[in-house]
């Protein structure tokens, strides 16, 4: 018997199956510093203990996307090692702040299965939960991927397609315990804009661009213990290029969005997302946002529903006349962020 | 109104104006480890809690240049986003040690203004103060930059040129609270040389060279939340090259200077400095020092005034016959370091 | 007198001589995070405080190879600055766990000397000990290098060749204080295999490959304060290439070996090792292991003696018909790892 992990194939999944993913991981000051070095991240709550204390928290929490990437990375060996495509995200909710020293692990439940008509692969839906060292959930999201079959003759499972919300309703957003923006210092945060200053439909070009290096995307991807070989092995693809982990683009775009959304301090939910085109080292990534919705979630605390688009081309580009993403578009992410009301 | 930061232009500055810069930042163990990975840094006080405790401190303080870069980085969006040139530094003094867990923020006061004769730009002098979470100053320095005007027809301000000291006088140097070199272990520190072993006029070739990579200078520059686009965006300059943050060269040269100045443990003051020529990835950087002065500052503690030169050419090169910096010279820094007397 | 370190030459070593190496170094959360970013490291004890607590430890210890590289790095300026070749390792034993916040320093005793017949160089054997801030030994190993003579006319020392064990006997392996695998969670650790599941002679292809970047090996090598210029200065070798620190390959191969040896949690001893061929940026490194021996070392705790081979070619390649390492083989390491019995 081989000792190494061959990954799961489509026929290895059954509805209701729960997978406890390896390896638990303690996240601390080092992960925070590396995140700041890897992305132009400047959101004040994630940068400063002093600022976070003023916001009623017990210190600066670990950036929400560190939590997302860490929880996601653990699922790769069980969910996407034999995946052909990463198809979507839904119902992502950040449930509790993570602080330096906390240990994260992940569990996934299989909630949907649909074999493709070609009989060679199928779509698997999982609901993944990130848990801390006290087994409290900190993050939950649904992800679906297309996975190859090991044996094309394996029988098709009964088709189950989960009923997923298009958007997390604002009343389901979790406000971190203790959070208040009552003594929020807009000058220190970097911009004067409150939720009310953003109009639905407003679009923001975040101006700056970052050219991606191989060393940087590999450092980032390893930091989340995501070991998918396409990201690291230049001999794996015929063109000798290493595919950049989609989460790297999410973090890069979110960090760039500081310029115009500096007060959108925390991500409360991920409503959906598409990695529209692959990205490679040498690409220069820019970002723009569109305000999709606005809601009050607690006294003094609002949520903005934002579309965040990463592109290696012009701002505000998204889809062509055929409705397909333009070739320069890398990411189309739909999320809720918390911001002073 | 645009939500993003257009930066300040020359006519936006007035004498006496105080700018509180975003974003406060907690520096900790992660920043220390990254600094060691980015620069060949081996000074014992900044490397070892045990060594620092023997020197009377409460543990190993954050490297002085981490403090400098962090405080400096915060000023970029307000001071140098529309800067044409970084003209100089003066009167830099490290006022208090920074320890892991401290939070740094920056404030600047405009102390000088002079419109250029072409009417298109002007020189702005600011005195920047780095403050910790208790609002105690940890660093103060003057910097002047040439900034473009938004509107060339805006009236020129009254010219005010601040009177700046050529050198911080030794009696103004701050010795960190508790610091003693009475039980200093020269073998563990790496070299036997005390202040008295250095002669004024002595020059030291620090021997080693480091070839710079894009990924490394970008990681470093982001770590200080310095977001000037010339450092990150390969499409910004016509030649497709990313300009390296001058502070990266300061840290690299200072780290290289360990070989010959291993006991020059801390930077007490920055008297002046010039980024003589731009530096790009692929350049191999070397460093040399010249002892400019020597002073006793406390019992058992001396200060060396040092010229630190970074070059991509031969050691001891500095200026040509025309008095201008030679093309290979990258940095000419004048600073005071504390060293066992 | 020059202030910089010229390194020691062969005639500078005498039998029994003890060298206290500079610079003591505190290792903490930042080093842990960087290690995870630099290598695809997923061993659970080194990743998770929660998992390590379940294993009876006081939290997640610093990865054994962080300790090895840190202790080793300090010896470079005194032992290998003028070395022509790194010839071997023996009798490496990890003696005590290192935890975040501990400070490491190194001492070496010269235990062997043999001048080469050409009179221009000689072999130096040292036993190096890593010590923590309480002067307790945490690591001990023997290393031998070929070092140039400064003066070819210097008299040859009496030849002393130390008697070194081919393998650390299992009864000499140190089990970290408190370690127990009684409530070991194989699912969280990532694989179900116990020591008894591995047969002597079994070989494992660890599957994945990693393409090496200049920025990554330099960040790693600096992190251990190893300043040998061949790793950093592209102008040093005639071919313009930077030689990769052998320890970078050790860490990379060990991390890759997780896939198949996920429960080989800790390195207890290094029996020997050879850096078979030089490695350069752009190489894609793979790893394979061979089970050499198995031993019970404590209730519930076994040790596997493993050969770990790093290669840029096919798995299981090692030596040619002439008995020499094949050109693609980079590392041949012989070590003991602790694993649930």
């Amino acid at each position: 018997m081989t000792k190494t992990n061959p990954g799961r194939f489509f026929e290895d999944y059954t509805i209701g199956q729960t997978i406890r993913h390896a390896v638990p991981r303690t996240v601390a000051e080092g992960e925070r510093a590396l995140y700041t070095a890897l992305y132009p991240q400047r959101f004040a709550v994630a940068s400063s203990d002093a600022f976070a204390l003023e916001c009623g928290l017990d210190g600066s929490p670990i950036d929400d996307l560190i939590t997302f990437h860490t929880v996601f990375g653990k699922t790769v060996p069980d969910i996407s090692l034999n995946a052909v495509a990463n198809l979507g995200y839904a119902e992502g909710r950040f449930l509790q702040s993570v602080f330096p020293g906390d240990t994260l692990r992940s569990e996934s439940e299989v909630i949907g299965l649909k074999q493709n008509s070609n009989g060679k692969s199928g779509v698997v839906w999982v609901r993944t939960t990130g848990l801390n060292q006290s087994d409290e959930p900190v993050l939950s999201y649904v992800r679906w991927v297309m996975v190859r079959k090991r044996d094309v003759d394996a029988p098709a499972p009964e088709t189950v397609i989960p009923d997923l919300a298009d958007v997390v309703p604002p009343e389901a957003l979790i406000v971190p315990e203790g959070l208040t923006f009552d003594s929020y210092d807009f000058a220190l945060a970097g911009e004067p804009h409150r939720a009310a200053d953003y109009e639905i439909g407003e679009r923001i070009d975040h101006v700056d661009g970052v050219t991606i290096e191989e060393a940087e995307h590999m450092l980032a991807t390893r930091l989340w213990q995501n070991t998918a070989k396409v990201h690291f092995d230049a001999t794996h693809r015929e063109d000798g290029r290493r595919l950049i982990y989609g989460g790297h683009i999410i973090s890069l775009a979110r960090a760039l969005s500081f310029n115009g959304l500096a007060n959108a301090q925390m991500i409360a939910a991920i409503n959906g997302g598409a990695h529209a085109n692959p990205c490679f080292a040498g690409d220069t990534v820019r970002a723009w946002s569109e305000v999709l919705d606005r809601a009050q979630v607690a006294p003094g605390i609002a949520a903005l529903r934002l579309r965040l688009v990463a592109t290696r081309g012009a701002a505000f580009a998204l889809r062509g006349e055929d409705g397909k993403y333009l070739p320069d578009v890398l990411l189309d992410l739909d999320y809720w962020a918390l911001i002073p009301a």
Side-chain angles (χ1 to χ4, degrees), chain A:
Chain A
M1 191 196 97
T2 180
K3 290 288 196 306
T4 53
N5 174 24
R8 279 175 169 81
F9 292 85
F10 181 66
E11 61 265 44
D12 298 328
Y13 297 95
T14 55
I15 294 291
Q17 184 182 14
T18 293
I19 303 169
R20 295 172 71 231
H21 305 291
V23 178
R25 166 77 174 284
T26 303
V27 290
E29 307 296 354
E31 281 75 10
R32 180 201 303 280
L34 263 162
Y35 196 82
T36 306
L38 287 162
Y39 306 108
Q41 129 66 15
R42 293 194 288 155
F43 294 99
V45 169
S47 292
S48 164
D49 281 334
F51 195 94
L53 288 166
E54 284 291 315
C55 291
L57 304 175
D58 292 337
S60 177
I62 291 292
D63 191 286
D64 307 303
L65 289 175
I66 294 181
T67 299
F68 178 77
H69 297 316
T70 302
V71 169
F72 179 99
K74 303 196 175 322
T75 70
V76 168
D78 297 312
I79 306 297
S80 43
L81 207 63
N82 299 307
V84 187
N86 195 17
L87 298 173
Y89 305 101
E91 300 187 0
R93 292 197 306 146
F94 291 85
L95 304 170
Q96 188 172 313
S97 294
V98 176
F99 289 97
D102 282 356
T103 298
L104 299 175
R105 63 181 187 86
S106 306
E107 287 184 8
S108 295
E109 183 186 353
V110 179
I111 61 168
L113 287 172
K114 179 177 181 299
Q115 182 165 311
N116 288 329
S117 53
N118 65 13
K120 294 181 181 167
S121 58
V123 178
V124 180
W125 284 259
V126 294
R127 188 179 299 276
T128 296
T129 305
L131 301 141
N132 68 15
Q133 66 276 14
S134 305
D135 284 331
E136 297 160 343
V138 299
L139 169 66
S140 170
Y141 65 91
V142 174
R143 175 188 177 211
W144 56 107
V145 292
M146 190 181 301
V147 181
R148 286 187 290 125
K149 292 178 74 173
R150 184 192 295 104
D151 171 11
V152 294
D153 297 326
E158 190 186 353
T159 293
V160 176
I161 298 178
D163 187 27
L164 299 172
D166 286 339
V167 58
V168 176
E171 56 273 21
L173 301 177
I174 303 289
V175 174
E177 199 181 321
L179 185 70
T180 170
F181 291 144
D182 289 355
S183 54
Y184 191 91
D185 187 326
F186 288 85
L188 283 189
E191 292 180 354
H193 323 301
R194 300 169 171 279
D197 297 323
Y198 293 90
E199 288 179 44
I200 295 172
E202 179 175 353
R203 298 192 305 174
I204 303 161
D205 175 1
H206 300 301
V207 181
D208 297 310
V210 171
T211 307
I212 293 187
E213 295 295 312
E214 299 283 14
E216 293 185 345
H217 78 82
M218 294 201 298
L219 287 169
T221 307
R222 274 192 218 103
L223 189 58
W224 323 126
Q225 299 182 306
N226 175 340
T227 59
K229 61 169 67 86
V230 291
H231 308 315
F232 301 105
D233 181 348
T235 69
H236 184 67
R237 285 167 59 104
E238 285 195 3
D239 64 6
R241 297 198 295 180
R242 281 162 271 183
L243 186 69
I244 290 174
Y245 163 50
H248 191 59
I249 308 302
I250 294 178
S251 279
L252 185 47
R254 161 76 176 153
L256 286 169
S257 79
F258 175 91
N259 195 354
L261 284 165
N263 298 316
Q265 292 287 352
M266 289 138 148
I267 301 180
I270 293 176
N271 299 308
H275 299 290
N277 284 289
C279 181
F280 300 98
D283 286 348
T284 297
V285 177
R286 292 179 164 72
W288 61 272
S289 293
E290 180 180 356
V291 180
L292 300 177
D293 202 356
R294 215 170 58 188
Q296 185 84 13
V297 294
I301 302 174
L304 286 183
R305 182 180 169 200
L306 296 158
R307 158 173 281 159
L308 174 61
V309 178
T311 166
R312 56 194 155 211
F316 306 135
L318 188 63
R319 293 178 190 272
E321 293 183 3
D322 57 2
K324 292 186 181 164
Y325 286 114
L326 292 167
D328 279 345
V329 173
L330 303 171
L331 171 76
D332 181 12
L333 188 76
D334 179 337
Y335 73 105
W336 284 106
L338 302 183
I339 183 169

